[in-house]
Amino acid sequence: MIFLVERPDDVTEGAVLVSMAGAFDDVDPEVFNHSQKMTLFFRSEIVSILDAFVTLDSSKFVTESPTPQRQLLDASSLGRCLDEIADAIHANWPNEPRLALVGVYRRGVPFAEALAERLRDKGRQVDMGRIDITQYRDDLQRMTVLPKLEGSDLAFDINDSIVILCDEVIYTARTSRAALEELLDFGRPRCVQMAALVDRTGRELPLCAEYAGIRVNLPKHERVSVRFIASDGHDEVFVKAWETKNT
């Protein structure tokens, strides 16, 4: 016999076993005694199976992701990387009265905001901007579904300023190229540098990050994912396999 049991948090092991024993109410006593022994024999297996289920909804089963991931940076390591990048920017421009940090949507924005906060803690004047590169992508013509337009926001004059373009990962540099092209439509900065939390080898364009938290070399079938507490509820960098999607 197979029993399908839903176990709310307040149901104990004993209650589950009693419910199972109740299924034998109309069975011959000798058969019941044998079944009871079998129930006790499988006690640990039953409880292990029940504990393996996470019930969010009675009509759904929750399973693990089919693509395992491995961590590159935990919250404390990510924080140290942010501190080191902010220290490097501060040291590289000691006499500059104002710096401009421009984050590339999506997670380049919380990355830039985290750096800006650290630089302001050092007494620096920092302008904060955001760039949406969607309309500057070189693969826009080939897309069947367009990304959501966030819109760019640079509420300050970038002419003759020091601008740090911030993206959470730099890889092929195609995103960086699009961000630089859009940035220059807003004016003529004196200097533009790039900061990335993760600098991954594999350039397809001749751009580099002057500031990077970590530098990694990964197989092409893997991708780097970054999470920030401001946008995702926790800080982490991890690697997982690319998921093939039907389009």
Side-chain angles (χ1 to χ4, degrees):
M1 299 179 66
I2 298 175
F3 292 88
L4 189 60
V5 184
E6 182 176 347
R7 183 185 183 187
D9 292 338
D10 58 349
V11 174
T12 64
E13 170 191 334
V16 172
L17 294 176
V18 168
S19 297
M20 292 185 64
F24 298 100
D25 288 343
D26 298 326
V27 180
D28 182 86
E30 292 186 5
V31 176
F32 176 77
N33 289 335
H34 175 72
S35 301
Q36 189 177 42
K37 291 178 182 178
M38 292 297 293
T39 300
L40 294 174
F41 178 78
F42 287 111
R43 174 190 295 266
S44 60
E45 284 76 12
I46 292 166
V47 174
S48 297
I49 292 171
L50 291 171
D51 285 340
F53 282 94
V54 179
T55 306
L56 300 180
D57 183 286
S58 60
S59 64
K60 298 177 182 178
F61 289 103
V62 179
T63 59
E64 292 184 1
S65 170
T67 54
Q69 62 189 44
R70 67 181 187 276
Q71 190 178 73
L72 289 181
L73 295 174
D74 60 13
S76 60
S77 299
L78 192 153
R80 285 195 297 272
C81 287
L82 292 172
D83 290 341
E84 291 169 1
I85 294 171
D87 288 345
I89 295 172
H90 176 65
N92 203 35
W93 301 101
N95 302 315
E96 194 62 34
R98 297 189 72 85
L99 297 171
L101 267 60
V102 178
V104 180
Y105 277 111
R106 295 175 44 210
R107 289 184 176 84
V109 172
F111 173 47
E113 290 172 342
L115 293 177
E117 180 181 357
R118 285 163 169 76
L119 288 167
R120 288 169 182 148
D121 288 344
K122 299 177 183 296
R124 304 301 297 264
Q125 298 294 315
V126 180
D127 292 317
M128 179 66 208
R130 300 159 186 82
I131 274 186
D132 179 350
I133 66 160
T134 300
Q135 298 180 74
Y136 290 78
R137 296 176 62 117
D138 61 7
D139 58 354
L140 195 61
Q141 300 285 336
R142 297 186 293 174
M143 287 187 168
T144 55
V145 179
L146 295 179
K148 177 185 176 184
L149 284 170
E150 300 285 353
S152 297
D153 177 22
L154 272 75
F156 54 90
D157 184 7
I158 70 167
N159 286 298
D160 200 39
S161 62
I162 305 300
V163 178
I164 313 295
L165 267 177
C166 302
D167 206 0
E168 80 274 23
V169 179
I170 182 170
Y171 178 25
T172 64
R174 292 184 180 274
T175 296
S176 304
R177 191 274 320 155
L180 180 60
E181 184 178 343
E182 181 173 359
L183 178 72
L184 297 179
D185 282 347
F186 283 87
R188 190 177 186 274
R190 178 162 26 112
C191 179
V192 179
Q193 294 183 324
M194 299 195 62
L197 181 62
V198 180
D199 183 348
R200 177 179 179 175
T201 59
R203 294 293 187 277
E204 296 174 1
L205 296 174
L207 296 171
C208 66
E210 283 83 359
Y211 312 101
I214 58 172
R215 302 183 191 275
V216 296
N217 184 10
L218 299 170
K220 286 187 176 181
H221 70 272
E222 292 185 329
R223 66 174 297 177
V224 178
S225 295
V226 179
R227 300 292 180 262
F228 290 106
I229 194 167
S231 56
D232 308 289
H234 68 287
D235 289 331
E236 184 185 15
V237 178
F238 59 90
V239 174
K240 65 185 301 183
W242 282 98
E243 295 181 5
T244 302
K245 298 181 180 180
N246 294 325
T247 55

